[in-house]
């Protein structure tokens, strides 16, 4: 029987990450592929402290106490924001989806970093977005290139991940943040700022939200508890400029009524407790060590094969390969050696900006496995480079 499905479904792509994660869950595989926090660092989930009324339906906007705590945290970052501008979401991924529903019709132009978060590309693509990529440099995107692209394409919004970007690890300088905000204000272009990694920080760097520098342009700021507590809770949030907020709440209502009250109740309790800061400090200490282990292993095994810089925070190294290697083919070879990475190719919004690259996660594997896995991976990549050299 043939079903009559929407045209939208023709734009659905299978999630490469999910497909790879399936394989990498097999015992014995060292995986640098996903963006998984380490299970051993996740706080214990004790739901006894959650109020009994968590069982009943709740407000679409989220639990009032949690919204107030989030608004307080954002105000501390310089983002002028009241609790009534905060919406609790089912992961920040839902925030991305709501933004897609809010702004995108078939053919709507959207500007984003190149490369950028794969699942945002997938989501915006389903709504019919026409992508225009802004090449990412060490200090962030170039404000002049942003202005030129806005004038040329008139995008519905610009989607940016300025702190410890996925996949590149890039953290915008303060000057870049201010200059980007100035261009958005001047042109009145809405900013969607995705910031799930901001609290995973290992070396000092500026992380003031770009939204905090905006004076006039509309904005949506997306945050997440996934990377700093437990992603299985599926609790994230967004805050937005007042005019956009009622639209987003209505879209949320029609999507899932509200986010799980049990997860919200647990998080409200946890982030208001003294344990939260201790937990973050411990997590950052362990991840900093894993980042350093990966950096040393890369220097030993990948010098001459790739170029990279150690990220100041977040969960990923981004390696730009020196040779023109087919990274999807290299992944298949790597999996036969029980090691996995994420090929760079799908992170690029437009094909002509692509270059051969790998994304490597350093939070999930232990330091011993990182050492072992990077050694194995360099052998695979060296072989692939030799093949590229012979055939190319
Ligand atoms: C840039 C970015 N945004 C959003 C998300 C979604 O996170 P969650 O829905 O778990 O909050 C991720 C997850 O990896 C991400 O990397």
């Amino acid at each position: 029987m043939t079903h009559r499905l929407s045209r939208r479904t023709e734009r659905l792509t299978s999630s490469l990450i999910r497909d790879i994660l399936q394989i990498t869950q097999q015992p014995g595989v060292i995986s640098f592929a996903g963006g998984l926090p380490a299970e051993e660092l996740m706080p214990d989930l004790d739901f006894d402290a959650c109020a009994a009324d968590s069982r009943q339906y709740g407000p679409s906007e989220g639990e009032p106490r949690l919204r107030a705590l989030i608004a307080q945290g954002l105000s501390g970052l310089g983002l002028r924001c009241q609790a009534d501008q905060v919406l609790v979401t089912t992961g920040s991924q839902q925030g991305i989806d709501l933004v897609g529903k809010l702004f995108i019709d078939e053919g709507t132009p959207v500007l984003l970093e190149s490369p950028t978060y794969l699942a945002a590309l997938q989501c915006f693509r389903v709504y019919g977005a026409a992508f225009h990529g802004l090449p990412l440099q060490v200090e962030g995107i170039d404000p002049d290139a942003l202005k030129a692209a806005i004038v040329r394409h008139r995008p519905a919004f610009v989607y940016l991940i300025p702190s410890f970007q996925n996949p590149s690890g890039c953290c915008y300088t303060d000057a870049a943040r201010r200059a980007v905000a100035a261009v958005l204000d001047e042109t009145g272009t809405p900013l969607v700022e995705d910031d799930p990694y901001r609290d995973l920080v290992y070396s000092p760097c500026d992380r003031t939200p770009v939204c905090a520098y905006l004076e006039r342009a509309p904005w949506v700021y997306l945050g997440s508890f996934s990377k700093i507590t437990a992603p299985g809770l599926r609790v994230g949030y967004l805050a937005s400029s007042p005019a956009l907020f009622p639209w987003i709440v209505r879209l949320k209502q029609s999507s899932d009524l509200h986010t799980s009250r049990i997860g919200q109740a647990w998080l409200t309790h946890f982030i208001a407790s003294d344990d939260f800061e201790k937990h973050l400090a411990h997590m950052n200490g362990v991840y900093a060590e894993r980042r350093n282990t990966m950096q040393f292993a890369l220097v030993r095994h990948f010098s001459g094969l790739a170029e990279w810089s150690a990220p100041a925070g977040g969960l990923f190294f981004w390696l730009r390969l020196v040779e023109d290697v087919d990274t999807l083919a290299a992944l298949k070879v790597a999996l036969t050696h029980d090691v996995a990475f994420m090929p760079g190719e799908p992170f690029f919004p437009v094909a002509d900006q692509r270059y051969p690259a790998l994304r490597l996660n350093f939070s999930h594997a232990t330091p011993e496995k990182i050492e072992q896995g990077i050694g194995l991976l360099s052998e695979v990549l060296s072989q692939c480079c030799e093949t590229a050299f012979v055939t190319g």
Side-chain angles (χ1 to χ4, degrees), residues 15-26 29 31-36 335 340 342 359 364:
S15 166
L16 186 68
I17 293 197
R18 286 197 165 274
D19 297 347
I20 294 172
L21 280 178
Q22 294 255 312
I23 304 172
T24 59
Q25 267 156 18
Q26 288 162 11
V29 176
S31 178
F32 304 127
L36 307 184
L335 287 172
M342 195 56 210
R359 192 194 70 178
H364 197 248

Coordinates of all heavy atoms in Angstrom, one line a residue, residues 15-26 29 31-36 335 340 342 359 364:
S15 N 19.5 10.1 10.2 CA 20.5 10.8 11.0 C 21.8 9.9 11.0 O 21.8 8.8 11.5 CB 20.1 11.0 12.4 OG 21.2 11.3 13.2
L16 N 22.8 10.4 10.3 CA 24.1 9.6 10.2 C 24.6 9.3 11.6 O 25.1 8.2 11.9 CB 25.1 10.5 9.4 CG 26.4 9.8 9.1 CD1 26.2 8.7 8.1 CD2 27.4 10.8 8.6
I17 N 24.5 10.3 12.5 CA 25.0 10.1 13.9 C 24.3 8.9 14.5 O 24.9 8.1 15.1 CB 24.8 11.4 14.8 CG1 25.7 12.5 14.3 CG2 25.1 11.1 16.2 CD1 25.9 13.6 15.2
R18 N 22.9 8.9 14.4 CA 22.2 7.8 15.0 C 22.6 6.5 14.4 O 22.8 5.5 15.1 CB 20.7 8.0 14.8 CG 20.2 9.1 15.7 CD 18.7 9.1 15.9 NE 18.4 9.9 17.0 CZ 18.4 9.5 18.3 NH1 18.6 8.2 18.6 NH2 18.1 10.3 19.3
D19 N 22.8 6.4 13.1 CA 23.2 5.2 12.4 C 24.5 4.7 13.0 O 24.7 3.5 13.3 CB 23.3 5.3 10.9 CG 21.9 5.7 10.3 OD1 20.9 5.6 11.0 OD2 21.9 6.1 9.1
I20 N 25.5 5.7 13.1 CA 26.8 5.3 13.6 C 26.7 4.9 15.1 O 27.3 3.9 15.5 CB 27.8 6.5 13.4 CG1 28.0 6.8 12.0 CG2 29.1 6.2 14.1 CD1 28.8 8.1 11.7
L21 N 25.9 5.6 15.9 CA 25.8 5.3 17.3 C 25.4 3.9 17.5 O 25.8 3.2 18.4 CB 24.9 6.3 18.0 CG 25.5 7.6 18.4 CD1 24.5 8.5 19.0 CD2 26.7 7.4 19.3
Q22 N 24.5 3.4 16.6 CA 24.0 2.0 16.7 C 25.2 1.1 16.6 O 25.3 0.2 17.5 CB 23.1 1.7 15.5 CG 21.8 2.5 15.4 CD 20.7 1.6 15.8 OE1 20.6 0.5 15.3 NE2 19.8 2.1 16.7
I23 N 26.1 1.3 15.7 CA 27.2 0.4 15.5 C 28.2 0.5 16.7 O 28.7 -0.4 17.2 CB 28.0 0.7 14.2 CG1 27.0 0.7 13.0 CG2 29.2 -0.2 14.0 CD1 27.6 1.2 11.7
T24 N 28.4 1.8 17.1 CA 29.4 2.0 18.1 C 29.0 1.6 19.5 O 29.8 1.5 20.4 CB 29.7 3.5 18.2 OG1 28.5 4.3 18.5 CG2 30.3 4.1 16.9
Q25 N 27.7 1.2 19.7 CA 27.3 0.7 21.0 C 27.7 -0.8 21.2 O 27.5 -1.3 22.2 CB 25.8 0.9 21.1 CG 25.5 2.2 21.8 CD 24.1 2.7 21.6 OE1 23.2 2.0 21.1 NE2 23.9 4.0 21.8
Q26 N 28.2 -1.4 20.1 CA 28.7 -2.8 20.2 C 29.9 -2.8 21.2 O 30.7 -1.9 21.1 CB 29.1 -3.3 18.9 CG 27.9 -3.6 18.0 CD 28.3 -3.7 16.5 OE1 29.5 -3.8 16.2 NE2 27.3 -3.8 15.7
V29 N 34.0 -1.4 20.8 CA 34.2 -0.3 19.9 C 34.6 1.0 20.7 O 33.9 1.4 21.7 CB 33.0 0.0 19.0 CG1 33.2 1.2 18.1 CG2 32.6 -1.2 18.2
S31 N 34.5 4.7 20.7 CA 33.7 5.7 19.9 C 34.1 7.1 20.3 O 33.9 7.5 21.4 CB 32.2 5.5 20.0 OG 31.6 6.4 19.3
F32 N 34.5 7.8 19.2 CA 34.7 9.3 19.4 C 33.6 10.0 18.5 O 33.7 11.1 18.2 CB 36.0 9.7 18.8 CG 37.2 9.1 19.5 CD1 38.2 8.4 18.7 CD2 37.3 9.1 20.8 CE1 39.2 7.8 19.3 CE2 38.4 8.4 21.5 CZ 39.4 7.8 20.7
A33 N 32.5 9.2 18.2 CA 31.5 9.7 17.2 C 30.5 10.6 17.8 O 30.2 11.7 17.3 CB 30.9 8.5 16.5
G34 N 29.8 10.2 18.9 CA 28.6 10.9 19.4 C 29.1 12.1 20.2 O 30.2 12.4 20.4
G35 N 28.1 12.8 20.8 CA 28.4 13.9 21.7 C 27.9 13.6 23.1 O 27.3 14.4 23.8
L36 N 28.3 12.3 23.5 CA 27.7 11.8 24.8 C 28.5 12.3 26.0 O 29.7 12.1 26.0 CB 27.7 10.3 24.7 CG 27.0 9.6 23.6 CD1 27.0 8.1 23.8 CD2 25.6 10.1 23.4
L335 N 35.7 1.4 11.4 CA 34.8 0.5 12.2 C 35.3 -0.9 12.1 O 35.1 -1.7 13.1 CB 33.4 0.6 11.6 CG 32.7 1.9 12.0 CD1 31.4 2.1 11.2 CD2 32.5 2.1 13.5
A340 N 35.5 4.5 16.1 CA 34.6 5.3 15.3 C 34.8 6.8 15.5 O 35.2 7.3 16.6 CB 33.2 5.0 15.8
M342 N 33.3 10.9 13.7 CA 32.2 11.5 12.9 C 32.8 12.2 11.7 O 33.6 13.1 11.9 CB 31.5 12.5 13.8 CG 30.2 12.9 13.4 SD 29.0 11.6 13.0 CE 28.1 12.4 11.8
R359 N 35.3 15.0 13.2 CA 34.9 15.5 14.6 C 35.2 14.3 15.6 O 34.7 13.2 15.4 CB 33.4 15.9 14.6 CG 33.1 16.7 15.9 CD 31.6 16.8 16.1 NE 31.0 15.5 16.5 CZ 29.7 15.3 16.8 NH1 28.9 16.4 16.7 NH2 29.3 14.2 17.1
H364 N 33.5 11.0 26.3 CA 32.9 9.7 26.7 C 33.9 8.6 27.0 O 33.7 7.8 27.9 CB 31.9 9.3 25.6 CG 30.9 8.2 26.0 ND1 31.0 6.9 25.5 CD2 30.0 8.2 26.9 CE1 30.0 6.2 26.1 NE2 29.4 7.0 27.0

